[in-house]
Amino acid sequence: MRKNSIKNTRVNAEVQRELSNILRGGIKDPRVAPMTSVAAVEVAPDLKTCKAYISVLGDEKAQSETIKGLRSAEGYIRRELARNINMRNTPEIRFVLDQSIEYGVNMSRKIDEVTRDLKDGDEE
């Protein structure tokens, strides 16, 4: 796998910041959950495609509805991105559900349960 160049890293950060602003202020679709954030963005080196990893706070139904809402608003999001960022090509955006935060919270909860059980076992 190729390392990101400095230019690609800067483009990723800029696209992530602008996508976050667009999601926060511009999307009026009721399917998009209010607690939606852009966890990471990977723009291809040719600036043609982009994967946006979206994190949604809520149950699985809210997550799937948010992804559907974002996919239907992809044209609007891409147009706003082109308006806000001066790039040669505006990338085609693919939204991917990122469950790493949820996974981390779940693992932390399991670790807390195990340590609590170990403390309870030591006290007996």
Side-chain angles (χ1 to χ4, degrees), residues 58-113:
D59 59 348
E60 298 217 0
K61 183 176 185 278
Q63 292 173 352
S64 65
E65 289 295 316
T66 298
I67 293 296
K68 286 178 188 173
L70 289 175
R71 286 185 181 145
S72 71
E74 184 179 333
Y76 169 77
I77 294 170
R78 190 172 179 194
R79 185 175 67 239
E80 288 297 312
L81 193 63
R83 185 180 301 163
N84 295 334
I85 298 178
N86 186 17
M87 291 171 52
R88 183 177 303 128
N89 297 318
T90 304
E92 180 181 325
I93 305 167
R94 274 195 5 223
F95 294 104
V96 179
L97 186 62
D98 181 36
Q99 297 177 331
S100 61
I101 296 173
E102 182 180 334
Y103 178 77
V105 168
N106 190 19
M107 290 307 281
S108 178
R109 187 178 309 125
K110 288 180 180 181
I111 291 171
D112 290 343
E113 288 175 9

Side-chain angles (χ1 to χ4, degrees), residues 13-24:
E14 186 69 21
V15 170
Q16 180 177 358
R17 187 167 55 79
E18 286 302 323
L19 274 178
S20 296
N21 289 338
I22 292 168
L23 290 183
R24 189 173 351 107

